[in-house]
Structure formats: C-alpha cells, structure tokens
Amino acid sequence: MQSDTSSSTTVKPEDQQPAKPSVDLNQQVRFKSIDGRLLLILPSETAHREENDPPTGSQWTELWQQLKHRINGSEHAWEPDTEVHLIAGNRLLDVRQLQEIAEALTTAQLHLRRVQTSRRQTAVAAATVGYCVDQDSERNTLNKTPAEKATSQDDPLYLQTTLRSGVEVKHPGTVVIVGDVNPGSTVIAEGDIIVWGRLRGTVHAGASGNLKSMIMALQMEPTLIRIGTQMARGPEKPPAQFYPEIAYMTASGIRISKASDFGKVKLWQVRGDQ
C-alpha cells in the first residue's frame, strides 16, 4: 500500500517576478515645502572630488534629467512666482549650471532665490550670479561648546563680485569681497569681513559670538554693523574724505579707525570669564 505524499510545485525561473529595485530618496532630486518655503534638494555627491574638480558630464546629465522630470510632474501645483531655495549640499555647481537650473525653474513660474551649499566653488558661483548664499561647514558642530563654535572657523570665502540689494552671503569663516557691498545686501561671517571696495550694506562679523572679529573696507559706509553680539549704526552723513578703515571691539563698544592708525590702537582683549 502506497502512502500519500504531498504534491509540490516547482516554480520555473521565468515564472518568478523580479524584485522591484528600492529607490533611495537621498539620491534623487526632490522638492519639499517647509515652513512656507519651497526647497529644491539635490542628491549628494557619491564619489569624492577635490574642490576644483569639475563635475562629469554624465553626473550633470542625470541630475538635469531628474530636475526636468520633477518640474514637469503633474503631482505638483505651485503658486506662481514662488521663491525656491536650492539645497545643493556637497554638489559642485558652476555658474552655467546654476543659470540652467534657474531657467528650468522659471518655466514653472518658480524663481531661484537662495543657494545653500558646503562647497566653496558653488558658493562663489552663486554669489557671482547674484543669489543669496548660505555656505555650511561640513564639520559636525552639534557637540561643540559655544566657546568652541566661536573659535572654530572654515577657510576664507573669496568673492570677486559686487553684492547688489537683496543678496545675502553667510559663511562659517572669514569673507573677503573684491567689489562693493551695496545697500540692501548683507554679509554674515563667523570670522572677519574684508571689503576691497565700498561697504554700504549690512555686515555681521563674529556671528557665532567672536568679539575679536573685525570688519575692514576701503570705503566704510555701512547701513548696520555688528561684531559678535554688539551692534552699531553707520554714520548718517558720509565723511568729506574716505580712507581705508577698520571696525573692531573696544571696552566701550564698536569703534571705527583709519587703517593707518589701527596699529597704534590698543585692542580690547576679550577674557574668557567676561
């Protein structure tokens, strides 16, 4: 007498359904609305490149195709004339690529307003075109004390351009501008601010609390000037003659002196227990 045996079915390889590849959103171009702001988030660079290495054509082509797909997607319904903040991260972008991104956004009635990046060359390109710039430090500062944050700075950011009204530049180090800082523009630096031109906008040196930071300009006419936590207004009337000047902290507040006299001035030394 034969015993019953359970039947089994063999699945042929061609009958198996292929697994759907998982999609890593961090490697995709994305739009995201936060606190009433529309963010355009670019994927991070996967391979390390040096600061001045240009992006490869294939990388930019893939990024560009993703961007056009997101802009043309029917799931989005943006209000006309919406401002966009580009979160570029560590991706290296030049002037031409930033302009192409801006033109693509314009077709959807979106306007590129600000660029946030950790790459110095991208920050320079964005400021050159005339966008507001936030340059982030790639170092982790979450566990640092306030004193460490005040003294920990990135390398200087050099900009050879004039900042027009409405442009803001933020950098976790010293900012050097070869050009003018026009009224309505803003420079915020955790280090010093050096303007090889006319300073007529708003500047904030030592933004993390460093009262030893200084502000230097060939022609000092700031709308508002800040060093650390201290603030001062610019002169109401311009002087009869301009000289290169330096703004710095003293025991009585912010002082502006001629650069030629600065070496004679005894600086206020900020003690750690003050």
Side-chain angles (χ1 to χ4, degrees):
M1 181 175 177
Q2 294 180 346
S3 60
D4 293 337
T5 58
S6 59
S7 60
S8 61
T9 302
T10 302
V11 179
K12 297 180 180 180
E14 58 268 21
D15 294 333
Q16 296 178 346
Q17 296 294 327
K20 295 182 179 180
S22 59
V23 177
D24 185 358
L25 292 179
N26 292 326
Q27 295 302 318
Q28 299 291 315
V29 174
R30 294 177 291 148
F31 282 97
K32 187 175 183 180
S33 295
I34 298 180
D35 298 331
R37 297 180 303 159
L38 181 59
L39 308 182
L40 171 56
I41 305 172
L42 303 185
S44 300
E45 295 279 7
T46 55
H48 176 73
R49 286 205 313 264
E50 295 299 327
E51 177 66 28
N52 295 320
D53 286 349
T56 63
S58 60
Q59 290 173 328
W60 170 247
T61 299
E62 180 181 354
L63 187 75
W64 179 245
Q65 290 175 346
Q66 285 190 30
L67 175 60
K68 290 192 294 183
H69 176 72
R70 295 293 182 270
I71 291 176
N72 296 328
S74 59
E75 70 274 13
H76 299 299
W78 296 294
E79 292 292 331
D81 300 325
T82 298
E83 291 187 350
V84 176
H85 292 192
L86 175 62
I87 311 299
N90 68 342
R91 186 165 289 275
L92 187 61
L93 300 171
D94 58 26
V95 169
R96 177 186 60 83
Q97 292 163 343
L98 286 171
Q99 289 175 328
E100 289 181 359
I101 291 174
E103 291 171 0
L105 292 171
T106 300
T107 62
Q109 294 184 296
L110 301 175
H111 302 288
L112 182 58
R113 169 64 176 168
R114 180 181 296 269
V115 178
Q116 182 176 326
T117 177
S118 62
R119 299 298 293 267
R120 190 176 316 279
Q121 189 167 327
T122 302
V124 172
T128 301
V129 178
Y131 301 121
C132 295
V133 178
D134 292 338
Q135 186 182 356
D136 299 327
S137 173
E138 291 185 318
R139 293 194 298 252
N140 181 11
T141 59
L142 294 178
N143 298 322
K144 292 184 179 180
T145 65
E148 289 174 331
K149 290 181 180 180
T151 56
S152 178
Q153 297 175 5
D154 277 17
D155 293 334
L157 174 64
Y158 295 92
L159 300 175
Q160 190 170 354
T161 186
T162 290
L163 300 186
R164 63 174 184 259
S165 178
V167 174
E168 180 182 86
V169 173
K170 296 175 66 176
H171 176 63
T174 291
V175 174
V176 180
I177 297 175
V178 181
D180 296 338
V181 178
N182 285 337
S185 62
T186 303
V187 181
I188 302 174
E190 294 186 16
D192 301 326
I193 296 175
I194 302 171
V195 179
W196 198 255
R198 300 178 68 186
L199 170 52
R200 296 183 293 164
T202 298
V203 286
H204 186 183
S208 59
N210 186 2
L211 294 175
K212 294 183 180 180
S213 297
M214 296 178 290
I215 299 168
M216 292 157 268
L218 292 183
Q219 190 166 320
M220 186 84 72
E221 302 176 80
T223 304
L224 185 69
I225 192 169
R226 294 185 65 182
I227 298 178
T229 57
Q230 303 300 306
M231 180 176 65
R233 296 278 179 185
E236 295 183 0
K237 295 183 180 180
Q241 188 172 0
F242 288 99
Y243 303 91
E245 293 180 302
I246 300 177
Y248 56 95
M249 282 300 303
T250 69
S252 57
I254 297 176
R255 178 177 178 179
I256 298 177
S257 297
K258 293 180 182 179
S260 57
D261 297 335
F262 181 70
K264 306 173 186 177
V265 178
K266 183 178 180 180
L267 293 179
W268 175 42
Q269 298 298 324
V270 180
R271 293 174 53 191
D273 58 350
Q274 289 184 326

